[in-house]
Amino acid sequence: MAAPCGRSSRWLWAAVVPAAVLCLAVRAAEEASTAEFDVRPGGEVHFFSRSLGDYTCTFTYSAQGGTNEQWQMNIGVSEDNLLFSCSVWRPQGKSYLFFTQFKAEVKGAKIEYAMAYSQAAVGAQSDIPLKQEEFEITETTVSHREGKFRFELSKLMIVAKTPHDEL
């Protein structure tokens, strides 16, 4: 399953999966990596990538307006090596940049769940998800949907299933 179906399922996933990702990050603290990077305006396509073992997450984007913003990427692998997570977000909550495109891609795993947000939770504010029509999810990517994306992005979250051998 790449994305939750139906409105009620979507909100259930939006509530449950962030908690699961947090547990994954806590349980796999020694198998996690957080890196800071600048999201730069100017209309050029930029990317930021991180790997952990056999798994890679790459965030590609183009943005306009304002000045550089400090963002973070967190990647992690569960203790049982069955899940790979990748989160990209602006820790201050809301980005003031105008994103013309975005794509997050995972290598070495297949996306089980993904969500994009126009605002990331900070303080008393909650995550505000993009409308499902604004982005699309494939087995390995989450990206803007041309003509539907409203140019606001502050957070991307991906949980991917890693390949494993059955006994």
Side-chain angles (χ1 to χ4, degrees):
M1 174 168 80
C5 298
R7 187 177 197 119
S8 61
S9 292
R10 179 175 172 210
W11 293 110
L12 176 63
W13 273 92
V16 172
V17 172
V21 171
L22 179 59
C23 287
L24 172 66
V26 169
R27 287 185 59 205
E30 58 194 56
E31 294 185 66
S33 170
T34 299
E36 293 185 352
F37 65 101
D38 282 335
V39 169
R40 300 175 294 209
E44 294 179 26
V45 175
H46 299 280
F47 76 94
F48 185 80
S49 185
R50 284 292 173 259
S51 296
L52 189 60
D54 295 333
Y55 314 108
T56 301
C57 182
T58 302
F59 176 59
T60 305
Y61 68 91
S62 177
Q64 293 283 5
T67 59
N68 290 358
E69 291 181 345
Q70 193 71 39
W71 282 52
Q72 291 183 354
M73 178 184 283
N74 180 279
I75 57 174
V77 178
S78 63
E79 281 183 12
D80 58 9
N81 204 37
L82 294 177
L83 296 174
F84 171 66
S85 67
C86 174
S87 299
V88 179
W89 75 97
R90 183 164 194 254
Q92 290 79 12
K94 183 150 178 68
S95 173
Y96 295 97
L97 295 176
F98 177 83
F99 282 82
T100 56
Q101 63 177 295
F102 74 85
K103 178 171 81 172
E105 181 176 14
V106 295
K107 289 188 180 165
K110 291 185 180 179
I111 295 176
E112 187 75 14
Y113 170 82
M115 186 56 75
Y117 300 88
S118 62
Q119 177 177 304
V122 64
Q125 296 179 334
S126 299
D127 287 337
I128 298 176
L130 294 181
K131 292 180 179 174
Q132 194 68 39
E133 68 204 30
E134 291 185 73
F135 65 102
E136 56 191 350
I137 303 167
T138 69
E139 284 190 346
T140 59
T141 65
V142 179
S143 59
H144 76 287
R145 187 170 278 151
E146 196 70 42
K148 300 287 184 177
F149 176 56
R150 293 186 179 101
F151 311 108
E152 293 183 303
L153 183 69
S154 292
K155 181 178 180 180
L156 285 170
M157 203 166 62
I158 297 172
V159 177
K161 214 171 197 179
T162 61
H164 64 281
D165 296 327
E166 296 293 329
L167 294 177

